[in-house]
Each structure stands twice: as structure tokens, then as C-alpha cells.
Amino acid sequence: MAPLPWSLLPDNAGVGPVGQLVVAGCDTLDLAAEFGTPLFVYDEDHLRARCREAAEAFGANAIYASKAFLCKAMARLAYEEGLGIDVASGGELQICLQAGVPADRLVFHGNNKSSNELRLAIGAGVGRIVVDSFDELDRLDALAAEGSPAPKVLLRITPGIKAETHEYVATGHDDSKFGFTVSTGAALQAVDRAGAADSVELVGLHAHIGSQVFRVDSFAAAVEALGRFANPIGLPELIVGGGLGVAYVEGEEAPTITQWSRIIAKAAAEAGITATIGIEPGRSIAAAAAVTLYSVGTVKDLPDIRTYVAVDGGMSDNPRPVLYGSGYETFLARSVTADRPRSARVVGKHCESGDLLVRDARLPADLRVGDVLATPVTGAYGHSMGSNYNKILRPPIVFCREGDARLVVRRETVDDLLATDLG
Ligand code: LLP
């Protein structure tokens, strides 16, 4: 029944003269009319504020995990606000370089980096490579034999911590594809090997326990376990990953980046860690900064069963509900504070029944075809995990600030779809 909880909207959200959602001074109904739907609308100052929170706590060792949301404008923004950037593929790396981010501010991740990606990263001069496996150390040896300079590396270790989150995004427990496992002895072996190698310069350790974690005690436990392993080794750097959860739906509450940072700093001090600590927030920077706007195309009432409200996007712009069963809220952009007495399932336009955006949505009673529907907290792992399924064109992205809407990614065209198709 209740209206959308205001706390789920971007920092600079407001209500316009006829009750419509305004983001950073931009009327979302005007944005939908100008740029079309679906449309990702970001509050640029919200992004900047979250980056600054991370940078205030950890300085240059605060690193934005760009897998959450990346385009050139975002890479530049994170860099301007003082953050390094975590890239997890050659593609993410190239986008940051093209955005003008200095290579030495990039941290290169990935559990299966190819030799070409490693060559590209070393050639560009990335700041750090986080090495994930013995096979990667073999590849780095081979590159050194070709004459590549030795990169500064951290070793990703798997501390044996089970974070409370969806199994697909938990990474700190032993049964994981990521990193060198502490409990099997692999982590120590990797330290010995990398420490003795000429092909790399070992400067630290890295761990990431998972994503969408709400419980700060999980982070404190991870830092404690890391300290136990890392302190005797005595390397100067320790990155403790990202993973801070965000609230997506009514009733959820997440720590702020500042609170999370304090827990980490306190746990590190208590664990006697003297290495420089780094963090890698992704979702907590970008998720709540954006709303996605859709147009309602059909409303199908099935008496005594349910109502299906179909919009012009779906699992191709937000696969999280389908992949993880993630919950979202929704509301009408024209009446952001309206009560939502009507229940419905908000679905997309893809050719499968699983294509849903909001399983149990609450909506205003006067919802009708042609309305602009908005889903808040869609700034992370939406556009970045989007696809062209059904050859749907990926939506554009606008950054709003003080009444200006800047198109930073345009809508795809049919020519984009055909660009790689050689017939
Ligand atoms: N650092 C590393 C090494 C990571 O693997 C990740 C996320 C992060 C930092 C950032 O984590 P965050 O602060 O965003 O939680 N697609 C999933 C999330 C996958 C996270 C992958 N790694 C989702 O939509 O929930």
C-alpha cells in the first residue's frame, strides 16, 4: 500500500510540480520523452559523494570495482574523485585507458586472465595485477621470458570465510574458483613462489569474500583471518575487496561506506595489521545512484491469478531478478509519492516466462499503458550485465547534475547489432 521508501532514491531526488520524480534537477518524464525508454538515469553527484566517502577513508587505496558499472564517464568520475579502478578483463581495462585514467591507477583482476590480457596490462603499465592462480604465475613467467618488465602483483587468497549472501556471489569460502586457498597450503606456496620469482614483484595480498553482504561482522571476521595469514608474511599491501551490500527493497538497511570503512579499519588495527589497507567497493558506489525508466506497454489482468505489467526492457537491462531472484521496488515516475495499493508482476519483453523485473510489485491504482515506470537502485550490475537477448538494443545512460542531463552512453542502434555480423 505504502509509497516507495524515499531512502531507495538517489541522494538528489526530488518531487516536481505535478508529483513527478526529479533526479538532480532533471524531470524524469522529460528525460523519458527526450531519450526514450528504457533509460538509465544516474545522479552524478550521488556517484561522486560515494566515491569521496571511500577516498576519505582509504585515500588512494580506495579502488572502484568497475564491473558494477562502467563507461568512460564513470571511469573518469571515479578517477577524478581520487579512486583507483579495479578492472577484471581486457575490455574493462581498455575502457578505463580510453577514458584517460592513468594505467598506474588500475588494479587488474580476474581468475583466468589470458596471456594477451596480461601482456596488454603490463604493456600499459597497470599499477597492480592481482594474481589468481599458479597457471597465471606460469603465464607471467612466460611473458617475462619474452622481455616484459616485472609487474607489481598481489596474490588473491581465499581465506575460508563463508559470507552470508547468494551462493553465486560468495567468494571467500574454500569451495571457490577464485584465488589461492589458505587451508590447503596453496596460498603459502604461492607467496613463496611469487616472492622468489623475477617475473613479478610481490607487494601484497588480496581477498574478497563476496558481494551484497550486509553483515559487518562478516567483514570483520575476514579481516581478522587475513591478518592471521598476512602478518607473518609481512608484505606492505593488503586489499580486502568490496562487497558492501545495499538496500534494494523496503525494510532493508545497509551500512554506509563510511561505517563499513570504520569496521574494516578497526578490525585491521585489532588484528595487528600494519600493511596498507585497500578496499574495492562497486555496488555501494553505483547501485542507488540510478533509476531505470521503462514505458508500460501492456497490462494483463488475470482475475484471481495476477496482473502482469509488461515494460519495454527486462532481463537484458537488469538480469539480477532472473539470475539471483533479486527483489526490486517500482513506482510511477509521474507520482513518486503515491500510495501503491495494486499488486502486479512487472515483466519485460523477452520471449520467456522467467523474464521478470519485479516479482511482487506494488503499484498505484491508476497505472495505465503508456506510463513511465521506474525501478530504483539499478545503478550497479544492470547495464554492466546487460545483453542483447532477442536483439534488444541496449539502453542509453544519462548523468544528471544540477538540472543538466548529459548523455554518456547512447542507445544502441541496429547498425551496432550488425557491426560484428559478417553475413
Ligand atoms: N573486488 C572484487 C575482486 C570483486 O570480485 C568484486 C565483485 C568487487 C570487488 C566489488 O564487489 P561489490 O562492492 O560490488 O559487491 N553480479 C553480482 C555481483 C558480482 C560481484 C562480483 N565481484 C550482482 O549483481 O549481485
Side-chain angles (χ1 to χ4, degrees):
M1 184 71 195
L4 176 84
W6 192 259
S7 58
L8 296 177
L9 290 171
D11 285 354
N12 300 296
V15 182
V18 296
Q20 77 276 42
L21 175 68
V22 173
V23 173
C26 299
D27 180 327
T28 53
L29 297 176
D30 291 348
L31 294 176
E34 182 178 352
F35 299 105
T37 56
L39 175 68
F40 286 92
V41 178
Y42 280 81
D43 171 358
E44 181 173 340
D45 283 331
H46 179 125
L47 290 169
R48 288 186 185 277
R50 295 303 178 281
C51 289
R52 277 202 287 274
E53 253 187 274
E56 261 158 39
F58 288 100
N61 301 310
I63 299 152
Y64 171 60
S66 70
K67 67 208 79 182
F69 166 54
L70 182 63
C71 57
K72 288 194 285 183
M74 182 62 205
R76 217 173 287 125
L77 182 154
Y79 170 62
E80 282 166 9
E81 297 299 343
L83 270 53
I85 304 187
D86 147 2
V87 291
S89 71
E92 289 180 354
L93 172 61
Q94 308 248 35
I95 287 181
C96 292
L97 293 176
Q98 295 259 334
V101 177
D104 67 356
R105 295 298 290 134
L106 302 179
V107 178
F108 188 30
H109 278 278
N111 69 301
N112 183 17
K113 306 174 192 76
S114 69
S115 294
N116 278 342
E117 286 176 316
L118 290 167
R119 197 177 287 116
L120 168 75
I122 296 171
V126 296
R128 300 287 182 271
I129 296 177
V130 179
V131 176
D132 211 278
S133 67
F134 291 108
D135 298 304
E136 188 177 342
L137 285 172
D138 290 345
R139 291 205 263 282
L140 288 164
D141 284 346
L143 290 177
E146 280 176 14
S148 283
K152 288 196 164 73
V153 304
L154 286 79
L155 298 176
R156 174 153 180 175
I157 65 161
T158 310
I161 297 286
K162 179 93 181 77
E164 275 191 37
T165 185
H166 194 288
E167 66 159 312
Y168 289 5
V169 296
T171 48
H173 53 304
D174 282 354
D175 183 3
S176 165
K177 72 170 180 170
F178 295 103
F180 297 99
T181 310
V182 170
S183 68
T184 62
L188 259 191
Q189 241 179 299
V191 169
D192 288 343
R193 174 169 165 187
D198 294 329
S199 56
V200 295
E201 182 185 343
L202 178 62
V203 296
L205 299 174
H206 176 286
H208 169 76
I209 57 165
S211 195
Q212 184 59 359
V213 178
F214 283 118
R215 293 186 51 164
V216 286
D217 49 351
S218 290
F219 292 107
V223 169
E224 206 239 310
L226 284 176
R228 241 179 293 128
F229 179 76
N231 288 347
I233 296 168
L235 291 167
E237 297 179 19
L238 180 62
I239 299 182
V240 299
L244 176 61
V246 303
Y248 283 95
V249 294
E250 177 156 26
E252 282 182 340
E253 231 176 281
T256 64
I257 293 175
T258 303
Q259 289 165 337
W260 175 58
S261 301
R262 288 199 181 123
I263 296 288
I264 288 173
K266 181 164 171 270
E270 282 169 7
I273 295 173
T274 52
T276 316
I277 302 278
I279 54 167
E280 280 169 349
R283 187 191 317 264
S284 53
I285 301 260
V291 299
T292 310
L293 304 180
Y294 301 98
S295 296
V296 174
T298 69
V299 178
K300 175 178 175 175
D301 271 320
L302 284 168
D304 302 325
I305 303 181
R306 74 174 78 251
T307 299
Y308 284 96
V309 174
V311 297
D312 50 357
M315 61 194 287
S316 56
D317 58 75
N318 185 4
R320 300 192 69 259
V322 181
L323 267 177
Y324 317 116
S326 307
Y328 284 87
E329 297 275 353
T330 188
F331 61 99
L332 288 180
R334 66 176 157 82
S335 54
V336 58
T337 59
D339 280 342
R340 300 175 301 165
R342 191 168 176 188
S343 53
R345 178 160 294 173
V346 177
V347 296
K349 62 179 281 144
H350 294 278
C351 296
E352 57 184 77
S353 295
D355 171 32
L356 63 91
L357 286 168
V358 188
R359 176 177 288 277
D360 295 307
R362 309 292 315 173
L363 285 160
D366 63 345
L367 166 98
R368 52 188 181 254
V369 167
D371 265 333
V372 174
L373 201 71
T375 48
V377 203
T378 46
Y381 303 110
H383 196 273
S384 68
M385 290 205 298
S387 74
N388 281 126
Y389 182 36
N390 292 135
K391 298 299 180 221
I392 299 276
L393 304 171
R394 285 188 178 83
I397 300 171
V398 289
F399 274 20
C400 297
R401 190 180 203 193
E402 295 175 358
D404 269 351
R406 177 163 62 108
L407 185 66
V408 297
V409 174
R410 66 157 170 78
R411 188 177 303 282
E412 276 183 343
T413 63
V414 173
D415 285 344
D416 294 326
L417 281 185
L418 288 167
T420 54
D421 188 328
L422 304 178

